[in-house]
Amino acid sequence: MDLLRALWTFSWLTAAFAVLWMALLIVARLIRDAGEAGAERRRTQITATFLKLMQDDALGQMEVLEVRRHPDVLAEILLQAADLVRGPARDRLVGSLKTLGLDEALRRQVGRGAERKRLAAIEALGLFPSPENEAALRAWGRRVGGLVRMTAGKALLEMGARVNLDLVIEDMRQRREAWSGPLSDLLRLLAERQPADCLRHLGRPDLPVSLKALLAEALGHAKDYQVLPALAEAALHGEAAVRAASVASLGLLMHPAMEPVIAQAVDDEDWQVRGAAAHAAGRAGFEALIPRLVERLADPVWWVRFQAAEALTRLGPAARRILHDVAEANLGAASRAASLTLAERGL
């Protein structure tokens, strides 16, 4: 009898616990849904407020004062607006927010909350150039978290300040951090704003191949043709990963003087370089390389065949006619690559 009573008690407690657990899950879901609904309302309200500030509406300034206690949401919407809006409207928005002390609120936000919110605050602070904000960003650029440091560096570049690439590289080497992800984004901005610094490091023999490949890839986004000779040298004589990244960057820059470099890279021993060269030839419109691209349709690596076929579709009617001829010639892998590419392109 005691055993039955113990089993009944245990079953009752187990059922009660299950009901209590379900109730807690339901309450948690309701709280989460309410929080998400409230955040969405704040986003809508802040977006409307920003539109008023862009139109120099004084009512918008009063509304910003009401939502300043949510700097994380303000930062998120501000970054979206900055991507979409340029010119006087953006200047009015940023000027009004600075007058209302949003940059001070963002500096406080960095010290608390989830990492996503802190990173948004750091990135948004780059829209408010000032000695105080620059000093704060440089301080965060020395923090332990690599993502925080890279975001702070990007914000510094956005506000027009300089970033010491030597310190960035040495810091990452000492911390033994991976050369990818956030660093790639920072290097792209550096290549646009400080191309000479990226060029200086591209030729360093003591740097890891992965870092030099990131530098070569970033230089494709430079707005200065002074990077062409260094990229051409790296495309011909660097390590395989560096050659591939350099060739891809030359394709982005699309300078006609680089055609001989791309021509040599199309026949490179490394398949990644050959594929990058085929893509670059199509992107840059190097019609003189059509015969070489046709040869690459029979490349032993499928990705190179695909890139060669894609490039030929971009090089005008004559190249597309050749691609049709190859597709109909029953040449094995080359014909399949040509046929599949033409079908995908609707040609």
Side-chain angles (χ1 to χ4, degrees), residues 81-327:
D83 285 338
L84 297 173
V85 180
R86 293 289 187 272
R90 174 175 167 172
D91 294 340
R92 282 194 295 271
L93 172 61
V94 173
S96 297
L97 293 174
K98 182 170 178 58
T99 300
L100 296 169
L102 179 60
D103 56 334
E104 298 176 11
L106 292 173
R107 291 201 300 268
R108 291 193 296 271
Q109 175 65 40
V110 175
R112 59 178 184 270
E115 183 180 58
R116 177 183 61 82
K117 296 179 180 180
R118 291 187 285 115
L119 292 175
I122 292 174
E123 188 174 354
L125 203 60
L127 298 171
F128 300 94
S130 75
E132 297 82 8
N133 294 335
E134 181 178 341
L137 288 171
R138 293 196 183 281
W140 294 324
R142 296 188 291 271
R143 295 295 179 90
V144 174
L147 189 54
V148 171
R149 298 201 317 277
M150 297 302 106
T151 304
K154 288 168 57 181
L156 283 167
L157 290 170
E158 290 290 358
M159 70 164 49
R162 288 188 63 82
V163 169
N164 190 322
L165 182 55
D166 299 78
L167 293 180
V168 171
I169 292 174
E170 186 57 33
D171 191 38
M172 293 195 73
R173 294 183 76 169
Q174 290 181 0
R175 297 173 191 269
R176 299 182 180 180
E177 292 178 335
W179 307 98
S180 61
L183 177 62
S184 178
D185 296 335
L186 176 61
L187 290 177
R188 287 189 180 194
L189 270 178
L190 274 166
E192 291 180 12
R193 312 292 173 84
Q194 301 169 208
D197 290 343
C198 293
L199 284 175
R200 182 163 46 86
H201 289 282
L202 180 62
R204 284 179 55 181
D206 60 315
L207 292 185
V209 172
S210 55
L211 175 56
K212 290 193 285 187
L214 286 176
L215 283 165
E217 186 272 336
L219 285 167
H221 300 270
K223 299 175 181 178
D224 191 334
Y225 283 144
Q226 69 170 320
V227 305
L228 290 174
L231 281 176
E233 175 66 20
L236 296 176
H237 305 295
E239 299 86 346
V242 179
R243 295 201 306 275
S246 301
V247 167
S249 288
L250 291 175
L252 288 174
L253 292 168
M254 297 188 293
H255 196 286
M258 293 297 103
E259 186 175 298
V261 178
I262 302 300
Q264 184 169 333
V266 168
D267 297 324
D268 194 275
E269 63 182 16
D270 186 87
W271 67 269
Q272 296 181 79
V273 180
R274 297 197 302 274
H279 180 79
R283 183 183 182 91
F286 293 153
E287 296 183 10
L289 301 186
I290 289 176
R292 290 176 181 263
L293 292 172
V294 173
E295 292 178 5
R296 291 275 68 83
L297 290 175
D299 196 277
V301 179
W302 74 268
W303 189 74
V304 180
R305 297 195 297 270
F306 170 75
Q307 292 296 338
E310 282 285 310
L312 288 168
T313 65
R314 304 177 68 171
L315 291 176
R320 289 194 288 272
R321 281 195 298 271
I322 294 174
L323 201 58
H324 276 283
D325 292 340
V326 173

Side-chain angles (χ1 to χ4, degrees), residues 12-85:
W12 185 87
L13 289 173
T14 302
F17 178 78
V19 171
L20 177 61
W21 182 250
M22 290 297 297
L24 289 174
L25 289 177
I26 292 171
V27 171
R29 177 63 181 269
L30 291 173
I31 293 174
R32 189 188 68 182
D33 289 348
E36 291 178 353
E40 188 58 36
R41 285 195 298 272
R42 285 192 294 273
R43 291 189 185 94
T44 301
Q45 179 185 1
I46 291 171
T47 300
T49 298
F50 282 4
L51 289 173
K52 293 177 183 177
L53 291 176
M54 291 180 203
Q55 297 168 3
D56 206 15
D57 188 336
L59 184 60
Q61 297 185 4
M62 298 299 296
E63 293 177 358
V64 168
L65 294 174
E66 295 176 8
V67 295
R68 269 191 57 182
R69 63 182 182 276
H70 303 292
D72 55 324
V73 185
L74 284 166
E76 177 187 335
I77 304 303
L78 177 57
L79 290 172
Q80 294 174 3
D83 285 338
L84 297 173
V85 180

